[in-house]
Amino acid sequence: MSENIDTTKAVEIADGVYWIGFYDKGAGFHCNPYLIVDGDEAVLIEPGSVPHFPMVLSKLCRLIPFEKITKILVSHQDPDLCAGIPKFEELVYGCGGKLEIVTHSRASVLIAHYGIRSPFYQVDQNDWKLTLKSGRELTFIFSPYLHFPGAFMTYDSKTKILFSGDLFGAFSFDWNLYANEYYTEAMKAFHENYMPGNRILRAAMDKLDSFDISMIASQHGSIINRDVKKYIDTLRDLDCGDYVFTPGQD
Amino acid sequence: MTYRDLIELVVQRQMGIVGLWKTLETLNDVGLAVGDDYRLVGDGGYDDLERLVTRFNEKYGLVTVMGCKIVVGRKAREGNLALPKILK
């Protein structure tokens, strides 16, 4: 890591929006949980796995009282972002708070198997948006099959951050909080392995054209805080997934 | 398309995945080098490609192989080049 940023603490990436992950030196696959603090409520985004829970907790507890978290938002059902949800529920309910799990209905039926006790707020059943108490709106952008049939991205109208789930993620031993000049290659490597095909990827990238995006905060890899369009165009044109039809490439 | 092209493709990918310095160190481990433009110095062949990817796997694990396997495979097919087992 070459940046001069103290990632042992939460990092405020925009007004009231925090990265609360950690730098795992031995991992080629970093996970990035985020927190939006909005007045007297907070949204925890892609909170993480069971092994990551203590590190995420150590940052979270310095930012807000747990009962302030009213929503946990997860872009799909994978354990690296969801398995820790029951532990966060214990904290929030233990402090007298209440939670909703914000996700797609296709993911909710699977997430239930982690032993979730909170009700679901299904984005596809709620006009693809969520309005917080302050009036701040989160817009959900459906990105089916990238890489889950119910995957979606989240656009925060206040900060113009796109929380992109697995999209725009990367393999990264040489991890930086913010994408450096080599990030494009690491991002392409990840998408070639996990995304199903160019037509599907292109369709999702085309949807982003109508959004004014200041920053892309993905669940893996680094945060893209400049040249956003360059990264969208890279994915729009990326060949991925076709290896399954090639003998010897499975 | 040549093995030299495939090696340069691996180098480009690893600069993103493990970073510039670790990539240069790993090249050095297997007796390869790149110039200031990150182009391979001298020729590279099948054995060089195999040794380089194997070394990345030994030092940094499977993610480095996954990260270049698909794109190298695609380019190798275009040039009708045989690939070492680690990239199949």
Side-chain angles (χ1 to χ4, degrees):
Chain A
M1 196 171 72
S2 54
E3 300 161 306
N4 190 22
I5 297 173
D6 184 1
T7 54
T8 63
K9 297 174 181 162
V11 178
E12 189 168 18
I13 61 170
D15 185 22
V17 180
Y18 299 86
W19 170 86
I20 52 171
F22 72 104
Y23 174 33
D24 186 353
K25 286 183 183 174
F29 212 36
H30 279 80
C31 298
N32 296 315
Y34 301 96
L35 182 75
I36 296 176
V37 180
D38 188 65
D40 63 354
E41 70 177 327
V43 181
L44 182 56
I45 299 176
E46 323 277 35
S49 65
V50 173
H52 290 184
F53 174 74
M55 282 78 83
V56 177
L57 177 62
S58 71
K59 294 180 177 178
L60 190 59
C61 68
R62 289 175 171 83
L63 292 172
I64 50 163
F66 300 128
E67 65 271 23
K68 200 167 173 176
I69 303 170
T70 58
K71 310 274 188 290
I72 291 180
L73 189 156
V74 282
S75 60
H76 59 295
Q77 81 294 340
D78 278 355
D80 56 337
L81 59 143
C82 289
I85 293 176
K87 290 188 169 289
F88 287 103
E89 285 183 320
E90 281 178 35
L91 292 175
V92 173
Y93 287 100
C95 294
K98 279 185 180 174
L99 270 176
E100 280 183 309
I101 310 299
V102 181
T103 195
H104 192 282
S105 57
R106 287 174 180 163
S108 66
V109 294
L110 296 167
I111 291 170
H113 289 280
Y114 289 109
I116 305 290
R117 65 194 235 197
S118 306
F120 285 101
Y121 180 95
Q122 292 164 327
V123 297
D124 48 314
Q125 305 298 313
N126 285 280
D127 295 329
W128 298 93
K129 64 184 175 188
L130 169 68
T131 306
L132 302 181
K133 288 178 199 165
S134 68
R136 182 178 189 161
E137 196 163 274
L138 300 180
T139 303
F140 305 113
I141 305 161
F142 195 28
S143 52
Y145 305 103
L146 296 167
H147 59 87
F148 174 69
F152 65 95
M153 297 178 274
T154 300
Y155 179 75
D156 173 24
S157 58
K158 183 178 176 188
T159 59
K160 300 181 179 177
I161 295 176
L162 179 74
F163 296 96
S164 59
D166 277 359
L167 283 162
F168 299 94
F171 291 142
S172 50
F173 272 97
D174 185 43
W175 181 82
N176 290 280
L177 181 61
Y178 293 107
N180 63 17
E181 67 266 42
Y182 306 115
Y183 190 72
T184 305
E185 289 298 319
M187 183 181 78
K188 288 196 294 194
F190 172 72
H191 287 72
E192 282 171 355
N193 278 272
Y194 285 93
M195 300 303 167
N198 175 265
R199 279 183 67 194
I200 294 170
L201 192 52
R202 177 175 288 266
M205 294 304 109
D206 289 348
K207 287 182 185 178
L208 298 181
D209 288 342
S210 59
F211 289 86
D212 177 17
I213 299 167
S214 64
M215 197 182 289
I216 299 175
S218 65
Q219 194 242 324
H220 295 296
S222 302
I223 296 168
I224 295 168
N225 63 342
R226 65 185 74 167
D227 299 329
V228 164
K229 188 174 183 310
K230 179 185 88 173
Y231 292 94
I232 293 173
D233 289 342
T234 297
L235 291 190
R236 201 193 310 270
D237 294 335
L238 183 70
D239 277 329
C240 57
D242 66 348
Y243 65 91
V244 295
F245 301 113
T246 306
Q249 283 286 304
D250 54 352
Chain B
M1 188 58 56
T2 65
Y3 283 108
R4 180 193 166 117
D5 296 324
L6 299 185
I7 290 168
E8 287 177 351
L9 209 48
V10 171
V11 169
Q12 201 178 345
R13 273 297 157 90
Q14 303 305 343
M15 281 166 55
I17 298 169
V18 304
L20 174 63
W21 298 111
K22 290 188 176 89
T23 300
L24 296 179
E25 280 171 10
T26 308
L27 278 162
N28 188 54
D29 289 349
V30 296
L32 296 173
V34 289
D36 292 342
D37 56 358
Y38 305 124
R39 303 293 307 271
L40 193 66
V41 175
D43 286 330
Y46 176 100
D47 291 342
D48 294 313
L49 176 65
E50 183 173 39
R51 280 189 292 119
L52 181 62
V53 177
T54 302
R55 187 66 182 141
F56 273 114
N57 186 33
E58 286 166 356
K59 289 179 82 170
Y60 304 110
L62 192 59
V63 164
T64 59
V65 181
M66 289 165 66
C68 62
K69 191 174 178 177
I70 294 170
V71 69
V72 169
R74 184 178 291 126
K75 294 295 179 186
R77 290 196 297 279
E78 285 174 21
N80 204 22
L81 296 171
L83 284 174
K85 190 177 175 188
I86 192 167
L87 284 167
K88 285 183 179 168

